[in-house]
Amino acid sequence: MGEKDNVENMVKNWFTETAQVEWRRLGRDPYHNIEFTVTTHFLERFLPKRGLVLDAGGGPGRYTIELAKKGYRITLLDLVPEMLKLARRRIRRAGVSRKVDKIVQGSIEDLSCFSDETFDAVLCLGGPLCHLLNIEQREEAASELLRVAKKGAPLFISVISRLGLLITLLTQFPHEIQYAMHHWEVGDYVPGKQGEGFTAAHWFLPEELQTLFENKGAEKITFAGLEGLSSHHRKETNRLYKDSESGKIWTEILLRTCTHPSVVGISEHFLLVCRKATRERPNLC
Ligand SMILES: C[S@@+](CC[C@H](N)C(=O)[O-])C[C@H]1O[C@@H](n2cnc3c(N)ncnc32)[C@H](O)[C@@H]1O
């Protein structure tokens, strides 16, 4: 078995075992909910009023359900059958099955089951792109996500930050600090080689994600740090949100500051909102 298949199996096993955890992740506490709040803010701002949306790497379907409730038609794709099983149940329970056109098992590297320019918007949220360890695979995924988007359609891509990961290493994994330079310089993590506690992943720098998509024909709209100024302050954030007035003020601050370049890179996750160019550009890669 090659390195690529090995990584894919690791990723599949991890997300099969953590499907239930993944469903709860964004609603677990006020700190985790910020990622959902900020992402949803940008979806509301840049999605077209209606249309067909691809939720690629959509997992158990948090965003699929949210957008289906708002009237969008959704196609959900994920690598892991267990995630899709859970998503089917959650979609049924939420009463939005009518809005979900298709639920498809597959990888963002190969979207050949969809024709060119099928979708009015494309989501790839919560880091699916991080689980492709070769640059060629990430380039293929960026090409595919753009290929299936209509011209001018927005794409919403969120990933795990490389700088944010280094702060996580300091605060939660100080016993793995010997791998810090590898994380910084290479940006790849393979469990067993660079520590334990997560599945195989690539950590992104904002400029790296931007270049990946611009080289395939996207135009950047904005970046946003998803945990923003709360990043790595889980306890303090959860304490603040016990008082609803304080929580409201802080949410407003997070939304105002999340696009600041100093905030984007140090956030645990950041979001790139871009648009498929309306005119053909030469493929630079
Ligand atoms: C952290 S979850 C995020 C789920 C959802 N998008 C969200 O933000 O709530 C990452 C998801 O990416 C999926 N994934 C990982 N690699 C993938 C790939 N190559 N193609 C499609 N999905 C993938 C996993 O199965 C998992 O459901």
Side-chain angles (χ1 to χ4, degrees), residues 177-198:
I177 207 73
Q178 65 271 32
Y179 305 116
M181 201 53 79
H182 176 88
H183 288 299
W184 171 239
E185 287 180 347
V186 183
D188 285 353
Y189 165 82
V190 178
K193 286 191 184 165
Q194 285 91 32
E196 296 294 344
F198 192 41

Side-chain angles (χ1 to χ4, degrees), residues 8 11-12 15-16 22 25-26 35-36 55-63 77-80 83 106-109 124-132 158 198 269:
E8 186 169 312
V11 171
K12 274 188 175 159
F15 283 110
T16 300
E22 185 48 40
R25 184 175 69 92
L26 294 172
E35 180 180 337
F36 184 74
D55 186 4
R62 280 261 173 217
Y63 292 100
L77 172 135
D78 200 275
L79 183 67
V80 174
M83 284 287 180
S107 174
I108 51 173
E109 281 173 273
C124 187
L125 297 170
L129 205 56
C130 294
H131 302 296
L132 301 173
S158 67
F198 192 41
H269 298 83

Side-chain angles (χ1 to χ4, degrees), residues 25-254:
R25 184 175 69 92
L26 294 172
R28 198 157 130 197
D29 58 17
Y31 178 77
H32 285 86
N33 195 242
I34 291 170
E35 180 180 337
F36 184 74
T37 303
V38 177
T39 302
T40 306
H41 171 83
F42 285 92
L43 292 174
E44 281 169 4
R45 208 164 133 197
F46 292 109
L47 275 174
K49 290 265 172 295
R50 57 186 66 81
L52 177 62
V53 178
L54 173 64
D55 186 4
R62 280 261 173 217
Y63 292 100
T64 287
I65 292 169
E66 181 69 13
L67 294 187
K69 281 183 184 165
K70 290 184 171 152
Y72 293 94
R73 285 189 301 123
I74 318 283
T75 289
L76 170 64
L77 172 135
D78 200 275
L79 183 67
V80 174
E82 193 62 25
M83 284 287 180
L84 296 177
K85 201 166 116 194
L86 182 54
R88 274 188 204 98
R89 230 174 27 235
R90 290 285 166 185
I91 288 164
R92 220 175 15 247
R93 238 188 251 181
V96 293
S97 304
R98 227 169 22 91
K99 287 285 175 188
V100 181
D101 279 15
K102 284 186 195 144
I103 297 180
V104 183
Q105 198 258 320
S107 174
I108 51 173
E109 281 173 273
D110 176 9
L111 301 177
S112 53
C113 55
F114 306 121
S115 310
D116 297 0
E117 300 181 18
T118 299
F119 297 99
D120 298 287
V122 172
L123 322 185
C124 187
L125 297 170
L129 205 56
C130 294
H131 302 296
L132 301 173
L133 288 202
N134 296 331
I135 175 70
E136 293 79 15
Q137 289 178 284
R138 296 192 290 276
E139 283 176 351
E140 197 51 41
S143 279
E144 281 292 84
L145 291 166
L146 274 156
R147 180 184 64 75
V148 299
K150 289 183 183 165
K151 290 200 174 82
L155 290 92
F156 303 82
I157 317 290
S158 67
V159 293
I160 304 169
S161 160
R162 195 179 301 189
L163 290 165
L165 181 277
L166 288 174
I167 308 175
T168 305
L169 208 60
L170 169 71
T171 55
Q172 293 179 39
F173 299 91
H175 52 285
E176 295 184 3
I177 207 73
Q178 65 271 32
Y179 305 116
M181 201 53 79
H182 176 88
H183 288 299
W184 171 239
E185 287 180 347
V186 183
D188 285 353
Y189 165 82
V190 178
K193 286 191 184 165
Q194 285 91 32
E196 296 294 344
F198 192 41
T199 188
H202 176 78
W203 327 116
F204 277 89
L205 289 165
E207 59 274 27
E208 176 190 1
L209 186 63
Q210 182 175 344
T211 305
L212 184 66
F213 278 85
E214 281 181 349
N215 282 350
K216 301 294 175 189
E219 292 163 354
K220 179 192 141 193
I221 299 175
T222 191
F223 272 122
L226 293 179
E227 293 85 359
L229 293 178
S230 265
S231 232
H232 306 94
H233 290 84
R234 182 174 171 189
K235 195 171 67 190
E236 294 79 359
T237 300
N238 287 340
R239 195 168 55 214
L240 190 82
Y241 276 88
K242 283 193 176 137
D243 176 61
S244 66
E245 266 316 299
S246 307
K248 263 194 215 156
I249 293 170
W250 190 243
T251 301
E252 200 49 43
I253 288 288
L254 291 173

